[in-house]
Amino acid sequence: GNVQVRKPTTDAWAAALRGMDLFRTWRVGSLEKSSADVRFVDSTAMHMRENTVVIIYGPSVARTQTFAAVAELEKGSLETRLAQLGSKSVPQRVLTPSSVASLSPGEALIVVDDKGTSWVGNHAGGKIAVHAASKKKPRGNPVSVASGMGSKVDVGKLPGKPRPLPPSPTLSSG
């Protein structure tokens, strides 16, 4: 599909190339009917669905063993799949306009709408700590979102009480 990147020093978007290196504060955008996979040096991965923009704040190669990968989701849908990297693994953090989610090993889906409202869904794995965000920093006490649960965070408000995720659609033969 059509995936673009933007360096922090320019306003112009350029076509992304498969396997290209991304650097701190670069933006990655997937357009209509497009998706992209972003893999950090510590092997964590994110899948961007269509119409999604992410800002990369990943760790440098020398620091991957002590600092987590960080990404900022401006809008759209982001799927993460984190493998257990060892007993000292640091959770990956995803910043949104309304929340800061600290992701443990497992699978999660984070969605941000045009108003900045975030939905954080834990599809499988360890608990996710979800904070409200103020100036891209956590505020207030986190909500712990267990596997199979999700939480909604409106801009300027604390995260909602976790609720069960809706069942996944299934195909049936007829």
Side-chain angles (χ1 to χ4, degrees):
N2 193 352
V3 179
Q4 299 178 328
V5 295
R6 191 177 96 198
K7 296 178 184 180
T9 56
T10 181
D11 291 334
W13 290 87
L17 302 173
R18 185 179 306 266
M20 74 183 297
D21 290 332
L22 301 172
F23 300 95
R24 189 169 181 78
T25 67
W26 280 32
R27 284 175 166 70
V28 180
S30 58
L31 301 179
E32 194 76 28
K33 297 181 183 175
S34 301
S35 64
D37 291 317
V38 177
R39 190 166 311 278
F40 290 90
V41 293
D42 64 358
S43 297
T44 58
M46 297 184 300
H47 177 74
M48 298 170 51
R49 293 183 177 180
E50 68 178 347
N51 297 316
T52 298
V53 176
V54 171
I55 303 172
I56 304 299
Y57 291 107
S60 64
V61 174
R63 299 175 69 174
T64 59
Q65 302 196 339
T66 56
F67 293 94
V70 178
E72 182 177 349
L73 177 61
E74 291 184 336
K75 67 174 184 173
S77 302
L78 185 67
E79 296 177 53
T80 64
R81 291 179 190 86
L82 303 179
Q84 181 68 35
L85 300 174
S87 60
K88 295 183 181 180
S89 294
V90 179
Q92 180 183 29
R93 289 180 27 171
V94 177
L95 311 174
T96 73
S98 59
S99 68
V100 177
S102 296
L103 308 175
S104 297
E107 296 180 15
L109 174 64
I110 301 172
V111 178
V112 176
D113 69 12
D114 291 337
K115 295 178 183 177
T117 299
S118 304
W119 288 266
V120 179
N122 184 349
H123 290 270
K127 292 183 179 178
I128 298 173
V130 180
H131 284 88
S134 177
K135 298 180 183 176
K136 300 182 185 180
K137 298 200 184 291
R139 103 175 150 81
N141 291 324
V143 169
S144 181
V145 180
S147 181
M149 304 291 279
S151 179
K152 177 182 174 185
V153 188
D154 291 309
V155 174
K157 296 188 178 178
L158 296 175
K161 179 181 174 183
R163 299 185 184 275
L165 294 172
S168 298
T170 57
L171 296 176
S172 60
S173 59

